[in-house]
């Protein structure tokens, strides 16, 4: 009732938790700023934000701030103003780069004649994250073949490291204590071939997690999973699948979605809370089915439904038939839940980032975290800039070539020429 206008695509799930942004009823811009930074500060820092606040508190740039106060997030990302909100919550006209970079065409021959509404087009520049687009990076990866000779995809190793670290006795079928009233045996047989069985996580670990629990808990909550899998829980709560939990709201359900869900979804699934078990069967904890079959059960778009027939989908099918190694398959999760390397107890551990929004938009974020495991930079830029290719889930080659790398090479050669003549 008090909502002054719908919140953006990014925040619609938490719009009823007014105080996540309006942390004080009296605060204006400064209070909102602190809220934005408390949730987004780290991610912007991690990608070396090209326009951090510090650039604009520098007195040498004071004149630019007069035109457009880039010290504040809400200068560009306002809320509750659906009529002026564009992609990624941007509430400025497309060509706003003009305000501060009028001189670019004079300084760079490669940029003469380009319109300011093209600076931020796909594959050229982003306002915040240019990790895959800055000049030195473009130069370093010039001239690569579309398909790289080696596949650089990281292998998941957490189970192995867990076994090395803890060296537990693996559980034998006879070790398992199952209440005798449990007649169903599917759970037991699924569990027997799981990594939980290998790691010594038995029925009680989940169904009678602590002394306080009063006997057998029929449906263990996701807090039980989180007690052993804190990093996965943490990243889950940063993306659209789990973000409501972080703001103290009940879990997301498919019926609250703004994007399309499968129309034939059962009532039960439509209202089911999104938890770890939405993707993982808790007994066989199969990470492969979680990577495709689970996603397709909920999501519905041209992009999603084209996956199975796409070249990547075919790789996955071959893997299923046993004709291809797992690391060559490209699943929904390969792109949307990338594997990240962390150091834990002096071991290099590869974990799955459960925030599927972390590399989603702008989509150049996927270049380094995913595509460049197998493709060249140029091929990745061209593919991700092609909307038709996204819609058909990368079935075919990109239709246009983005000149970013060529421009970097051209400018580099000009600099060399100048240096030579100087000598
Ligand atoms: C995701 C963050 C976020 C959430 C959640 C949020 N707001 Fe806002 N709200 C903002 C921002 C940012 C502005 C400033 C918009 C601007 O300057 O154009 C704002 C502006 C407002 C204003 C106008 C204030 C003014 O000075 O004009 C009102 C009223 C308001 N919000 C009420 C609410 C209510 C009520 C809720 C919960 C039902 C809510 N907001 C939830 C971010 C949020
Ligand atoms: C309680 C934490 C929280 C607060 C406070 C918050 N955000 Fe967000 N924001 C999120 C989450 C979670 C998402 C959705 C996941 C994503 O896109 O990373 C999101 C999405 C976004 C997006 C859209 C990204 C896209 O992919 O479309 C923008 C832009 C954004 N936030 C900016 C802001 C700004 C500006 C503020 C301050 C007015 C703010 N946020 C306040 C958590 C927060
Ligand atoms: C001068 C305008 C401007 C300001 C100021 C600004 N942004 Fe953005 N923001 C953008 C644009 C444009 C995008 C679209 C993607 C891009 O170009 O990077 C964006 C995208 C985002 C995204 C989506 C993810 C990403 O990495 O691009 C988030 C989150 C975000 N902004 C948060 C913030 C926060 C938090 C602040 C304040 C600290 C802020 N922005 C200040 C213009 C701005
Ligand atoms: C409010 C002023 C302002 C706006 C608006 C702005 N920039 Fe910048 N930008 C700067 C400043 C200041 C620098 C630091 C270098 C300089 O002084 O030119 C910079 C640096 C850059 C760089 C150099 C790369 C880097 O990482 O340091 C690029 C590329 C860039 N901006 C692109 C853009 C694009 C694209 C837009 C529009 C989407 C944009 N800028 C909008 C002020 C602005
Ligand atoms: C990793 C944690 C975990 C382990 C280990 C585990 N379970 Fe479960 N189990 C669950 C969860 C979570 C549910 C609830 C699933 C749901 O609500 O959809 C469940 C549900 C069940 C159910 C009810 C099934 C139904 O259809 O309602 C039975 C029976 C069961 N488990 C037996 C077992 C037995 C026997 C073992 C040991 C061989 C075991 N579980 C090991 C997490 C676990
Ligand atoms: C008592 C601790 C414990 C609990 C509780 C627990 N797990 Fe695990 N889980 C482990 C260990 C140890 C491993 C193997 C090492 C690793 O992957 O971290 C593992 C592995 C996994 C894997 C990887 C499987 C594979 O083959 O790659 C998934 C998925 C998983 N767990 C999901 C869950 C879910 C979902 C729950 C809650 C229903 C849960 N776990 C509860 C300890 C636990
Ligand atoms: C949207 C589906 C989805 C949800 C929800 C989900 N997972 Fe996963 N999870 C996956 C996929 C897919 C993989 C394997 C990805 C791969 O092979 O690269 C995975 C891998 C894992 C692994 C093994 C790799 C690692 O990071 O150590 C664990 C453990 C795990 N998940 C635990 C959890 C827990 C705990 C939750 C709930 C907080 C959860 N997952 C929620 C899809 C999901
Ligand atoms: C139980 C249903 C369900 C399953 C299973 C599921 N999702 Fe989702 N997904 C959702 C819902 C609901 C949202 C939030 C949509 C919204 O806020 O409008 C979402 C959001 C997303 C988004 C962000 C979309 C955006 O525009 O910001 C991506 C990407 C995504 N899911 C990918 C996946 C992938 C990949 C898998 C499998 C590994 C998967 N999902 C499994 C229901 C599901
Ligand atoms: C090769 C990488 C790749 C694969 C494989 C892939 N996607 Fe995507 N996905 C993308 C890109 C890129 C986008 C577009 C991001 C953008 O620019 O907005 C996207 C967008 C999405 C979105 C958000 C679109 C929306 O409507 O908001 C969802 C949901 C999604 N994908 C789910 C899936 C599912 C489910 C699968 C598997 C059936 C899958 N994707 C396979 C790369 C991939
Ligand atoms: C694990 C390796 C791997 C990753 C990661 C990967 N791809 Fe691919 N991709 C392939 C392979 C292998 C093929 C060729 C399959 C075939 O020939 O049947 C392919 C095919 C393609 C094609 C079709 C090319 C054609 O000639 O038909 C496009 C477009 C594409 N990938 C884009 C991308 C993008 C964009 C990303 C990142 C979002 C990505 N790929 C991530 C391995 C990968």
């Amino acid at each position: 009732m008090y909502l002054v206008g719908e919140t953006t695509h990014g925040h619609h799930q938490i719009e009823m938790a007014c105080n996540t942004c309006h942390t004080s009823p009296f605060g204006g811009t400064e209070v909102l700023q602190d809220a934005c930074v408390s949730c987004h500060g780290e991610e912007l820092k991690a990608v070396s934000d090209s326009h951090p606040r510090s650039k604009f508190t520098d007195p040498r740039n004071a004149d630019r701030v007069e035109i457009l106060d880039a010290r504040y997030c809400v200068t560009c990302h306002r809320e509750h103003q659906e009529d002026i909100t564009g992609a990624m919550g941007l509430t400025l006209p497309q060509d706003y780069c003009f305000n501060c970079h009028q001189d670019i065409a004079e300084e760079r021959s490669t940029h003469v004649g380009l319109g300011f509404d093209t600076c931020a087009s796909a594959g050229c520049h982003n306002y915040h994250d240019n990790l895959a687009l800055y000049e030195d990076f473009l130069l370093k990866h010039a001239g690569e073949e579309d398909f790289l000779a080696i596949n650089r995809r990281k292998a998941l190793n957490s189970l192995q490291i867990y076994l090395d670290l803890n060296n537990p006795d693996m559980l034998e079928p006879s070790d398992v204590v199952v209440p005798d009233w449990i007649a169903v045996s599917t759970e037991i047989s699924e569990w027997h071939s799981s990594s939980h069985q290998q790691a010594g996580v038995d029925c009680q670990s989940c169904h009678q997690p602590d002394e306080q629990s009063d006997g057998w808990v029929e449906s263990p909550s996701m807090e039980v999973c989180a007690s052993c899998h804190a990093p996965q829980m943490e990243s889950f709560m940063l993306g659209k699948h789990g973000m409501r939990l972080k703001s103290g709201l009940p879990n997301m359900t498919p019926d609250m979605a703004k994007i399309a869900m499968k129309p034939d979804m059962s009532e039960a699934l439509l209202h089911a809370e999104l938890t770890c078990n939405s993707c993982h069967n808790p007994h066989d904890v199969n990470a492969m089915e979680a990577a495709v079959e689970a996603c397709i059960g909920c999501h519905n778009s041209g992009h999603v439904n084209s996956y199975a027939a796409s070249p990547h989908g075919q790789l996955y099918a071959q893997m299923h038939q046993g004709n291809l190694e797992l690391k060559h398959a490209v699943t929904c999760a390969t792109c949307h839940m990338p594997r990240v390397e962390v150091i834990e107890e002096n071991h290099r551990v590869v974990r799955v980032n459960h925030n599927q929004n972390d590399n989603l938009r702008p989509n150049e974020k996927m270049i380094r975290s995913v595509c460049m495991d197998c493709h060249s930079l140029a091929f990745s830029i061209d593919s991700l800039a092609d909307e038709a290719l996204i819609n058909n889930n990368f079935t075919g080659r990109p239709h246009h070539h983005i000149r970013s790398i060529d421009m970097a090479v051209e400018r580099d050669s000009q600099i060399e020429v100048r240096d030579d003549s100087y000598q």
Side-chain angles (χ1 to χ4, degrees):
M1 194 164 74
Y2 298 104
L3 204 59
V4 283
E6 264 187 62
T7 41
T8 52
H9 176 87
H11 297 132
H12 81 95
Q13 290 190 24
I14 55 169
E15 70 181 6
M16 285 308 155
C18 315
N19 60 356
T20 53
C21 293
H22 302 285
T23 52
S24 148
F26 305 109
T29 309
E30 292 290 350
V31 162
L32 286 167
Q33 179 77 13
D34 288 345
C36 312
V37 172
S38 77
C39 286
H40 293 289
E42 256 174 60
E43 90 197 59
L44 291 181
K45 212 154 130 201
V47 300
S48 324
D49 190 355
S50 296
H51 297 88
R53 187 184 176 114
S54 56
K55 252 185 195 161
F56 303 105
T57 47
D58 182 337
R60 280 168 302 181
N61 286 323
D63 53 330
R64 309 203 199 192
V65 175
E66 256 169 49
I67 315 168
L68 194 152
D69 196 348
R71 292 172 304 168
Y72 295 102
C73 316
V74 293
T75 301
C76 304
H77 302 285
R78 298 169 69 180
E79 268 301 346
H80 320 304
Q81 315 236 17
E82 238 188 330
D83 45 327
I84 55 163
T85 304
M88 276 171 278
L90 187 68
T91 47
L92 280 183
Q94 277 293 316
D95 62 352
Y96 69 96
C97 315
F98 168 80
N99 289 316
C100 302
H101 293 293
Q102 286 109 320
D103 40 10
I104 191 74
E106 288 153 32
E107 280 170 14
R108 302 205 174 201
S109 61
T110 50
H111 283 60
V112 172
L114 297 179
F116 279 95
D117 56 348
T118 65
C119 317
S121 52
C124 295
H125 300 287
N126 289 316
Y127 183 75
H128 297 295
D129 181 351
N130 286 297
L131 276 188
L133 299 169
Y134 66 88
E135 256 174 290
D136 289 350
F137 192 71
L138 296 172
L139 275 176
K140 186 173 156 204
H141 292 280
E144 288 169 345
E145 297 289 334
D146 291 354
F147 292 82
L148 303 182
I150 34 159
N151 175 330
R152 291 192 286 235
R153 188 147 192 247
K154 299 180 195 83
L156 283 178
N157 63 353
S158 55
L159 177 63
Q160 208 42 56
I161 285 180
Y162 180 86
L163 294 175
D164 292 349
L165 278 181
N166 296 277
N167 200 20
D169 294 322
M170 286 192 201
L171 291 170
E172 291 301 327
S174 54
D175 298 335
V176 183
V177 186
V178 180
D180 49 12
W181 55 266
I182 292 186
V184 219
S185 58
T186 22
E187 287 82 13
I188 305 171
S189 62
E190 281 173 346
W191 174 84
H192 272 152
S193 50
S194 73
S195 358
H196 278 158
Q197 183 262 339
Q198 286 186 52
V201 179
D202 62 2
C203 320
Q204 272 69 23
S205 310
C206 292
H207 286 282
Q208 284 178 295
D210 49 47
E211 308 279 285
Q212 286 97 300
S213 51
D214 190 14
W216 182 267
V217 178
E218 201 157 313
S219 187
S221 70
M222 64 190 295
E223 279 72 43
V224 173
C225 315
S227 68
C228 294
H229 296 296
Q232 288 80 5
M233 181 70 178
E234 235 161 74
S235 51
F236 174 77
M237 291 198 300
L238 295 175
K240 290 260 177 80
H241 287 147
M243 66 187 279
R244 284 170 56 88
L245 294 168
K246 189 107 181 164
S247 292
L249 298 164
N251 299 48
M252 185 64 181
T253 56
D255 64 337
M256 286 191 263
K258 278 204 168 174
I259 61 173
M261 297 281 121
K262 282 277 182 307
D264 52 356
M265 212 185 257
S266 70
E267 275 297 305
L269 193 52
L270 209 52
H271 303 293
E273 295 193 330
L274 242 160
T275 67
C276 313
N277 302 333
S278 303
C279 299
H280 299 291
N281 170 337
H283 298 119
D284 74 1
V285 287
N286 181 327
M288 233 29 244
E289 264 172 34
V292 175
E293 279 76 6
C295 325
I296 291 177
C298 289
H299 287 283
N300 188 37
S301 63
H303 168 77
V304 172
N305 300 331
S306 305
Y307 166 77
S310 74
H312 291 147
Q314 291 299 310
L315 295 172
Y316 177 68
Q318 282 183 42
M319 191 276 305
H320 253 309
Q321 289 154 9
N323 300 333
L324 195 76
E325 255 183 276
L326 176 66
K327 75 173 203 171
H328 296 293
V330 181
T331 65
C332 312
T334 307
C335 294
H336 292 294
M337 300 176 65
R339 298 173 177 186
V340 286
E341 206 173 280
V342 288
I343 304 292
E344 280 173 16
E345 302 182 43
N346 295 327
H347 284 259
R348 209 187 111 264
V349 185
V350 179
R351 293 216 174 282
V352 172
N353 183 350
H354 279 67
N355 172 4
Q356 76 303 337
N357 280 85
D358 196 41
N359 70 353
L360 187 64
R361 281 183 293 260
N363 68 27
E364 289 92 348
K365 282 177 186 288
M366 256 184 219
I367 293 175
R368 291 181 69 156
S369 59
V370 183
C371 315
M372 285 183 75
D373 282 348
C374 307
H375 296 289
S376 69
L377 176 61
F379 183 77
S380 308
I381 290 179
D382 289 353
S383 300
L384 288 168
D386 189 333
E387 231 170 285
L389 262 192
I390 293 177
N391 289 337
N392 69 18
N393 220 315
F394 307 100
T395 306
R397 297 185 54 80
H399 296 91
H400 303 285
H401 174 57
I402 306 293
R403 294 193 57 249
S404 293
I405 295 182
D406 314 338
M407 284 160 84
V409 170
E410 194 181 321
R411 179 169 141 91
D412 189 51
S413 66
Q414 287 166 354
I415 292 172
E416 268 167 29
V417 170
R418 227 183 305 140
D419 282 349
D420 289 346
S421 58
Y422 193 66
Q423 284 162 1

